[in-house]
Amino acid sequence: MEKSAFPFQVMAKLKLWMIWLLGFILITLSFYTTQRLSSSVSISANHLPAAANPTISIFAAPSPFIGVVGDRQTLAIRSWLSLSPNITVFLFSQDPFLSSFAASTFGSRVSVESNLDFTFLGTPFFHSMVARSQSSKSDVSVLIDPNTILLPNFISALNHAHSKLDHDWLMFSSSRAVSNYPFRLDQDWKHWIGENGKKIRIQEFYLQLQGFLDLNWKCSNCEDRMVLAWNNCDLPLHNGVLPPFLYGKGLHNRWIINEARLSEYRFVFDATMAISNFYLDHEPEETTWENRVNTHLSGLYGSLYFREANHSNMVKLLNYNSRYVFVDPTKETDYTSMRLFERTRYSQERLSIPFTVETLLPILADENKTIVLAIAGYSYKDLLMSWTCRLRRLMITNFLVYALDDEIYEFSVLQGLPVFRDSLAPTNISFNGCHFGTECFQKVTKVKSRIVLGILKLGYNVLLSDVDVYWFKNPLPYLSSFPPAFLVAQSDEYKKTGAINLPRRLNSGFYFAHCDISTVGALEKVVKHAASSNLSEQPSFYDTLCGEEGCNRIGGDRCLEPDSNLTVHFLDRDLFPNGAYEGLWEEEDVRHVCVEKKGCYVLHNNWINGRRKKLERQLRSGLWDYDMSSRMCLRSWQTAKVASYF
Ligand SMILES: *[C@@H]1O[C@H](CO)[C@@H](O)[C@H](O)[C@H]1NC(C)=O
Ligand SMILES: *[C@@H]1O[C@H](CO)[C@@H](O)[C@H](O)[C@H]1NC(C)=O
Ligand SMILES: *[C@@H]1O[C@H](CO)[C@@H](O)[C@H](O)[C@H]1NC(C)=O
Ligand SMILES: *[C@@H]1O[C@H](CO)[C@@H](O)[C@H](O)[C@H]1NC(C)=O
Ligand SMILES: *[C@@H]1O[C@H](CO)[C@@H](O)[C@H](O)[C@H]1NC(C)=O
Ligand SMILES: *[C@@H]1O[C@H](CO)[C@@H](O)[C@H](O)[C@H]1NC(C)=O
């Protein structure tokens, strides 16, 4: 472990005494100032809080524990754990190795949670983190920046709020950036070492540190590194839905505080002056497209535009000689007029991610250079989300979305999906009536083979899956077992017996195309045929590969396209049933019948007309993984409590 991360600055004793003295004067001064300010309110001014001892869960989303950043996070987490044995820590991360690292470094009070929403780049979603933190069984939940060090006055402030407020509350505290921090933890991370190299007793350390902090902090981007804490109860933090902010990319803390204040569900207060939370200064992160996503969201949603928000008129928790005082400087702020003013300031800016299909493929593809491709327009956005949530639940992350229109493109960006579009996308397809048999449907299906062919030519295998295909289990290992020059596709045959490769029975909504010369050659023919045909793509597929009237059929489940020497294999109808087969969708327990009795990998929600009916069928059967109101994947921890908020 690199100890150099925590610079050890030697200071003269005299200097330290001066710091103490100055710190004391400052605290005293600020106390008198606030006494003058607080003519209107003093919610409670009690002696040291009674032993309230709430159970506390601390939630954080750390970066990988590597190098200096790893050391800083380790120091921060140790500082949290040392506050009380009643603190448990949950780290949000997709890193498969973090659990064992956390267990060996911090012990059993720290656990890793990967069961929430992340973007395809691994950035966690703030709304998902908040919802998970709210579902905690502990008395108090804390959401904290992973670099922020906490000191014992954090616990006293929480205890005070917990035991003295007769209202539900939300507390926040801006973290201060500190450079040249003169203390470090000893080898076994148990004791703080002062500037003279000796262990310091905790009270003394605390006094010295407080003095140091009062003189050395600055507030560059305090808002991004805030501590939020609230008591857990049935009451939400604010009214309405939290937009899908990207965690750590700015504005979300400010947004939620403003909304909480305006909603007036909870007593919201600023404890920055009463809590010494700080982080060791490091270089500011550069602004990226992810920050722009958050800017966009904060302008789009919420009643108070972030830039106008201003904490100076908020209730503050102050501490003087272990006495806590709530101070409310302005009671009469007129939020209504601010709201109108600020809403008009939002500018419509088109969002995009700085990725093309060429740059996305190497990031996403799995070990076999395989990509799962979904093609969707805006009217299928909920189906698309449920489908991606399902894949993520199956731990499948090598999927990619082709956007048929600008609306679904932007929606996908905001939902953290890897998405791309091209200039050849058909126009005017985003209306509800784009179902089987319509002209719109024809246009859309013809896009599919063109996009698949493009990806094959870039050197990747493609599993194309319509978003109305429900995946029970991962079909990729099975589909990958077919050799090159095989195209493996779902059959649209609805009869229980007989051949499954009869004319026009090839379903072009679920197929696996291997990246090889035969497949590329055959798909080129399909694309060419589809371009000159006035039918949808499905017949082009069949007629090209299996021949008109099925003249290229071999046996009951194959065709051989002679020019390219591509074999088309129709997938077993029990393992990959279409929506008409055996009336599976009408079963009481679709999942049970399909998975236990037939061994299904997937079930296609086709053979039904209209997006609405499709959606209803899937919702009714419980083959649904997305909460449309909270814009989050459904999770086991999402109790009725969370669901009932929206
Ligand atoms: C921990 O929690 C238990 C039960 O709430 C309480 O009795 C105990 O005093 C707490 N300990 C500390 C150090 O807060
Ligand atoms: C914040 O609000 C206070 C009082 O409403 C005002 O005096 C101050 O100038 C504001 N600060 C900023 C940065 O807007
Ligand atoms: C788009 O499609 C709808 C429904 O078919 C139609 O009413 C409308 O005129 C079309 N718009 C354009 C620009 O083609
Ligand atoms: C990669 O392909 C092999 C067969 O070629 C298969 O056994 C394996 O499961 C595939 N991997 C994935 C992640 O699908
Ligand atoms: C489609 O094309 C065929 C000839 O290729 C023609 O006979 C038929 O009328 C066309 N159908 C439509 C709906 O345009
Ligand atoms: C066609 O493919 C089969 C295997 O799928 C192979 O045995 C045969 O040699 C190939 N024929 C030609 C002409 O490439």
Side-chain angles (χ1 to χ4, degrees):
M1 208 54 49
E2 258 183 63
K3 286 288 184 293
S4 63
F6 314 112
F8 181 76
Q9 198 194 50
V10 180
M11 282 196 285
K13 258 217 164 83
L14 183 68
K15 198 170 157 198
L16 200 79
W17 271 107
M18 290 215 18
I19 289 171
W20 282 11
L21 202 62
L22 272 170
F24 181 75
I25 292 168
L26 275 177
I27 292 170
T28 314
L29 268 178
S30 71
F31 176 70
Y32 282 116
T33 320
T34 50
Q35 285 294 297
R36 280 195 295 130
L37 267 176
S38 68
S39 49
S40 50
V41 211
S42 180
I43 291 172
S44 61
N46 293 291
H47 291 281
L48 255 183
N53 298 326
T55 52
I56 300 168
S57 296
I58 300 186
F59 297 88
S63 310
F65 282 78
I66 300 168
V68 173
V69 174
D71 287 355
R72 281 178 177 150
Q73 293 179 154
T74 304
L75 179 65
I77 293 169
R78 285 186 185 273
S79 77
W80 312 340
L81 291 170
S82 70
L83 297 177
S84 156
N86 285 349
I87 286 182
T88 43
V89 174
F90 297 88
L91 301 178
F92 297 131
S93 172
Q94 288 183 309
D95 180 351
F97 302 109
L98 187 55
S99 281
S100 58
F101 172 81
S104 63
T105 312
F106 307 113
S108 59
R109 282 158 65 204
V110 177
S111 49
V112 178
E113 291 254 337
S114 57
N115 191 17
L116 71 160
D117 294 359
F118 294 85
T119 71
F120 73 100
L121 294 175
T123 306
F125 279 103
F126 184 65
H127 68 336
S128 188
M129 291 171 61
V130 170
R132 171 63 189 91
S133 313
Q134 280 179 294
S135 76
S136 165
K137 300 263 186 300
S138 60
D139 301 324
V140 172
S141 283
V142 177
L143 207 51
I144 188 173
D145 160 73
N147 299 287
T148 293
I149 294 171
L150 291 175
L151 297 173
N153 61 6
F154 174 71
I155 293 291
S156 3
L158 276 192
N159 277 345
H160 182 77
H162 191 70
S163 60
K164 298 291 185 242
L165 290 172
D166 57 2
H167 207 287
D168 295 306
W169 49 273
L170 168 66
M171 179 184 99
F172 69 93
S173 175
S174 299
S175 295
R176 292 165 257 199
V178 165
S179 31
N180 299 324
Y181 181 64
F183 308 98
R184 62 185 169 87
L185 277 167
D186 68 0
Q187 290 292 318
D188 55 4
W189 302 85
K190 289 233 165 70
H191 299 94
W192 290 94
I193 311 279
E195 41 163 0
N196 57 4
K198 291 201 176 131
K199 283 183 190 170
I200 325 176
R201 285 175 33 180
I202 192 73
Q203 276 91 349
E204 193 186 335
F205 160 73
Y206 186 40
L207 260 178
Q208 289 189 18
L209 178 75
Q210 195 63 57
F212 178 81
L213 286 184
D214 285 337
L215 285 185
N216 287 281
W217 66 276
K218 57 182 192 225
C219 197
S220 42
N221 46 7
C222 316
E223 299 208 338
D224 293 350
R225 300 187 185 274
M226 237 170 215
V227 179
L228 297 172
W230 62 85
N231 68 308
N232 279 318
C233 59
D234 288 339
L235 206 60
L237 299 179
H238 62 90
N239 186 15
V241 180
L242 186 53
F245 285 115
L246 301 174
Y247 177 70
K249 306 299 173 188
L251 300 175
H252 47 67
N253 291 330
R254 168 137 282 189
W255 193 96
I256 204 167
I257 291 166
N258 286 324
E259 289 300 310
R261 190 159 62 137
L262 290 169
S263 308
E264 295 183 341
Y265 289 172
R266 286 166 178 264
F267 174 59
V268 182
F269 62 98
D270 178 354
T272 305
M273 300 299 282
I275 296 177
S276 326
N277 50 310
F278 66 97
Y279 62 96
L280 303 179
D281 202 8
H282 35 98
E283 311 72 48
E285 278 157 40
E286 57 184 296
T287 303
T288 67
W289 64 275
E290 291 181 290
N291 298 81
R292 284 194 293 278
V293 167
N294 282 6
T295 310
H296 180 88
L297 286 170
S298 66
L300 205 54
Y301 303 103
S303 31
L304 189 63
Y305 188 47
F306 61 95
R307 264 190 212 131
E308 309 307 326
N310 175 345
H311 292 171
S312 68
N313 53 15
M314 290 200 66
V315 178
K316 291 188 171 43
L317 178 66
L318 302 173
N319 177 291
Y320 174 66
N321 274 354
S322 305
R323 283 158 49 96
Y324 285 99
V325 198
F326 284 105
V327 176
D328 188 348
T330 52
K331 275 228 124 169
E332 55 286 329
T333 311
D334 181 4
Y335 297 129
T336 340
S337 59
M338 280 168 86
R339 221 180 289 190
L340 287 173
F341 170 63
E342 285 133 14
R343 286 297 273 179
T344 57
R345 296 193 49 171
Y346 166 65
S347 71
Q348 282 278 339
E349 186 199 348
R350 282 263 164 225
L351 275 182
S352 63
I353 55 171
F355 293 97
T356 61
V357 63
E358 287 87 353
T359 53
L360 282 169
L361 287 170
I363 301 175
L364 299 169
D366 71 2
E367 65 197 33
N368 292 336
K369 286 191 90 180
T370 297
I371 277 288
V372 181
L373 177 70
I375 294 180
Y378 192 66
S379 61
Y380 273 59
K381 69 180 195 321
D382 296 321
L383 277 163
L384 169 69
M385 280 317 295
S386 182
W387 182 84
T388 60
C389 288
R390 181 66 201 160
L391 262 63
R392 283 176 167 157
R393 185 177 276 197
L394 294 173
M395 316 292 269
I396 300 165
T397 52
N398 56 325
F399 62 84
L400 177 59
V401 178
Y402 175 82
L404 282 168
D405 51 58
D406 290 344
E407 290 78 14
I408 196 71
Y409 179 83
E410 187 153 311
F411 176 84
S412 302
V413 170
L414 294 179
Q415 296 279 342
L417 303 179
V419 62
F420 72 106
R421 58 185 162 187
D422 68 6
S423 56
L424 296 176
T427 50
N428 198 22
I429 45 155
S430 266
F431 58 96
N432 279 341
C434 195
H435 49 73
F436 186 82
T438 61
E439 189 189 331
C440 164
F441 183 84
Q442 288 178 25
K443 281 205 242 172
V444 168
T445 57
K446 285 176 190 179
V447 175
K448 292 186 192 172
S449 42
R450 180 173 62 78
I451 299 299
V452 170
L453 179 60
I455 296 178
L456 292 179
K457 285 180 167 172
L458 290 169
Y460 295 84
N461 311 311
V462 180
L463 169 54
L464 178 119
S465 173
D466 283 354
V467 292
D468 58 359
V469 174
Y470 187 83
W471 291 33
F472 292 106
K473 56 186 177 190
N474 187 356
L476 278 172
Y478 175 72
L479 298 175
S480 312
S481 68
F482 288 87
F486 266 65
L487 185 127
V488 194
Q490 188 175 45
S491 167
D492 242 349
E493 182 54 66
Y494 48 83
K495 295 202 194 88
K496 276 189 192 178
T497 53
I500 54 174
N501 60 351
L502 295 173
R504 304 277 166 95
R505 285 286 172 257
L506 191 154
N507 188 294
S508 61
F510 186 87
Y511 63 90
F512 183 74
H514 204 273
C515 166
D516 56 57
I517 294 169
S518 294
T519 310
V520 168
L523 268 175
E524 268 173 345
K525 278 182 83 173
V526 171
V527 171
K528 214 166 163 190
H529 187 274
S532 59
S533 151
N534 58 9
L535 296 165
S536 81
E537 176 196 60
Q538 200 137 302
S540 287
F541 237 101
Y542 188 90
D543 291 0
T544 308
L545 301 180
C546 292
E548 288 190 18
E549 303 303 320
C551 58
N552 300 335
R553 289 171 57 203
I554 299 176
D557 64 357
R558 284 192 180 174
C559 303
L560 179 68
E561 202 286 308
D563 296 339
S564 60
N565 197 22
L566 176 80
T567 302
V568 179
H569 175 89
F570 289 72
L571 286 160
D572 185 310
R573 61 193 128 184
D574 283 324
L575 303 184
F576 295 86
N578 62 62
Y581 180 62
E582 293 231 310
L584 284 170
W585 282 106
E586 274 68 57
E587 293 286 348
E588 180 95 10
D589 188 343
V590 182
R591 185 188 302 273
H592 177 78
V593 173
C594 215
V595 177
E596 306 299 331
K597 299 203 172 148
K598 308 229 163 274
C600 299
Y601 282 89
V602 305
L603 173 61
H604 204 147
N605 186 5
N606 61 350
W607 289 89
I608 188 166
N609 262 354
R611 181 187 63 96
R612 184 149 215 101
K613 284 190 201 156
K614 219 183 248 286
L615 207 62
E616 278 166 10
R617 177 151 91 170
Q618 222 164 313
L619 283 165
R620 188 164 11 93
S621 62
L623 302 185
W624 192 259
D625 293 84
Y626 179 61
D627 179 4
M628 292 179 258
S629 53
S630 69
R631 305 187 190 100
M632 275 179 242
C633 294
L634 287 169
R635 309 266 171 199
S636 48
W637 48 261
Q638 266 165 318
T639 56
K641 179 173 133 186
V642 173
S644 67
Y645 288 175
F646 309 112

